[in-house]
Amino acid sequence: MTSADIKARARSLGFDACGIAPASAHPELAFFPEWLARGYAGSMTYLHRSADRRADARNVLPTARTVIATATVYNTDRPYSTEMSNGGRAQIARYAWGDDYHDVIGARLEQLVNWMRRESPEPFDARAYVDTGPVQERVYAQHAGIGWIGRNTCVISPTLGSWTFLGVILCSLPLEVDAPALDQCGTCTLCIEACPTHAIVAPGVLDSTRCISYLTIEHRGDIPADQRAGIGSHVYGCDVCQEVCPWNALAPRSEDPAWQPRPAWDAVDLVALSKRSDGDLASALRGSAMRRAKAQGLRRNVAVALSNAEIEVEADR
Ligand code: B12
Ligand code: SF4
């Protein structure tokens, strides 16, 4: 079983790109403790707790020699939030419109590992993660040649753009590795300028505590009053720094049924969203990546967005 065999199998399982990186402490990983020390993780305490393991994939799987990195396009045929002038439209990040990627990509990674176990003449250790483990997926994806880490901090593939989910398999097999992807941001700074809350504090450095994605998904409790206006009509996540990226101007779209927008989240209006019953919201969130914020978090965000749009909603009697 060669690296080429694994990549071909990955393609047939629905991954749009697959590359292989050495399982080592790549230089970019040294930046992580500094990022934490600057307070940029906010209340995401799990990042602090797992910092030691994140320094090197071998701290997670000691026998690891390689990291198989995958990218899956989730972009669909819908306008960008930056193309809309309607302040009454609820903005939901496009990664969250379809099925929960943890479930879908997780199952596909497992299928890839199972196939490798059948094909490999020797037994091996493997551990698969999609956003779920103490592994800096972007760093390994860059070293696997999938794409470079852009100024907006996202992994940008020269052919796929950045509307991709990443997934990794730490593996003990000494597979042939790829060359790292080269930075192609050039002199462009559109993402840094476009961020509504100035969360990209330096090229490739994001202060989560200012990022709308963090505020609407990860942050618990009230959103601080001075940060509400910047959120605009974003009710779950934010895509602005990717929407303005020239590498996404011609980004491919996925036909995979898993990522097609669920009717409940497709072109949804703030007022209509605010009027949905708890039961209705709970069932729409089931199996969706948006379940992370829960109905309560979504209601908090919708209230902020309504206030930003100066829309008053009359209670139904
Ligand atoms: C925590 C987290 C967040 C946080 C922090 C994001 C961030 N930029 O750090 C918040 C909640 C804000 C967030 C938002 C989003 N996220 Co997120 N998130 C993660 C998670 C779980 C960990 C990332 C992390 O540790 N960040 C801390 C930084 C410091 O580490 P890092 O991202 O690995 O960056 C490394 C390099 O960039 C390098 N580096 C960075 N800056 C610099 C500067 C210098 C000078 C140097 C030398 C090095 C360097 O060092 C870092 C490692 O040490 C990953 C999954 C994973 N396990 O990796 C998903 C992940 C990064 N998120 C993802 C997605 C899709 C998003 C959103 C698009 C969702 C949305 N639409 O709302 C936004 C994008 C916002 C943005 N511009 O990043 C995808 C990214 C896919 C891609 N193609 O890049 C991931 C990989 C999940 C997945 N499996 O698909 N996310
Ligand atoms: S996701 Fe939105 S708020 Fe976060 S860095 Fe990008 S543009 Fe700024």
Side-chain angles (χ1 to χ4, degrees):
M1 181 183 61
T2 64
S3 291
D5 296 333
I6 294 172
K7 290 176 196 174
R9 188 66 185 181
R11 292 296 303 238
S12 74
L13 287 170
F15 295 108
D16 294 295
C18 176
I20 301 176
S24 53
H26 296 291
E28 295 84 356
L29 293 167
F31 179 70
F32 188 70
E34 188 182 327
W35 184 82
L36 290 176
R38 291 190 200 170
Y40 292 161
S43 62
M44 296 184 288
T45 50
Y46 73 95
L47 292 174
H48 287 270
R49 282 197 304 276
S50 54
D52 289 347
R53 278 171 291 155
R54 288 172 185 272
D56 187 332
R58 290 167 298 188
N59 296 342
V60 179
L61 182 70
T63 54
R65 285 184 179 170
T66 46
V67 177
I68 302 165
T70 64
T72 309
V73 172
Y74 60 80
N75 188 30
T76 48
D77 176 20
R78 294 293 186 277
Y80 287 169
S81 71
T82 45
E83 293 167 345
M84 279 177 229
S85 51
N86 178 0
R89 170 75 72 83
Q91 298 299 342
I92 297 171
R94 59 186 54 225
Y95 86 94
W97 295 344
D99 294 345
D100 190 340
Y101 65 99
H102 300 98
D103 300 339
V104 178
I105 307 281
R108 290 178 188 171
L109 289 172
E110 205 172 304
Q111 281 178 285
L112 186 56
V113 172
N114 290 343
W115 173 84
M116 287 168 60
R117 291 206 192 284
R118 289 197 299 274
E119 293 293 312
S120 173
E122 50 180 309
F124 62 90
D125 300 328
R127 214 168 275 182
Y129 296 114
V130 46
D131 209 10
T132 42
V135 180
Q136 299 315 107
E137 293 167 357
R138 285 166 162 172
V139 174
Y140 288 98
Q142 175 176 314
H143 283 270
I146 298 248
W148 71 96
I149 297 173
R151 292 212 166 95
N152 60 6
T153 79
C154 295
V155 167
I156 305 171
S157 150
T159 51
L160 302 175
S162 69
W163 304 117
T164 57
F165 297 118
L166 301 179
V168 291
I169 300 169
L170 316 190
C171 178
S172 63
L173 292 172
L175 300 164
E176 187 191 342
V177 299
D178 290 282
L182 296 177
D183 189 326
Q184 296 190 53
C185 281
T187 54
C188 176
T189 52
L190 288 175
C191 56
I192 298 178
E193 289 148 23
C195 173
T197 51
H198 312 291
I200 307 171
V201 293
V205 184
L206 181 89
D207 178 354
S208 301
T209 65
R210 295 195 206 179
C211 176
I212 295 169
S213 182
Y214 167 86
L215 291 168
T216 56
I217 302 173
E218 301 294 331
H219 179 76
R220 300 287 176 259
D222 286 346
I223 294 175
D226 61 341
Q227 290 189 286
R228 289 181 200 161
I231 288 175
S233 51
H234 295 273
V235 300
Y236 192 90
C238 169
D239 285 333
V240 173
C241 53
Q242 297 187 87
E243 290 172 336
V244 299
C245 176
W247 289 96
N248 282 335
L250 298 172
R253 291 164 180 166
S254 172
E255 298 302 325
D256 191 328
W259 317 129
Q260 303 312 308
R262 292 179 170 204
W265 312 125
D266 200 4
V268 49
D269 175 85
L270 279 173
V271 175
L273 190 52
S274 73
K275 291 192 168 178
R276 281 201 194 145
S277 70
D278 280 348
D280 186 18
L281 273 186
S283 72
L285 289 172
R286 209 164 294 134
S288 141
M290 287 174 67
R291 66 184 170 194
R292 184 159 179 87
K294 304 202 175 73
Q296 197 189 2
L298 204 53
R299 284 205 192 287
R300 174 201 64 181
N301 299 341
V302 171
V304 170
L306 281 168
S307 151
N308 287 338
E310 297 182 356
I311 298 172
E312 280 183 38
V313 180
E314 301 221 352
D316 288 334
R317 291 171 196 278

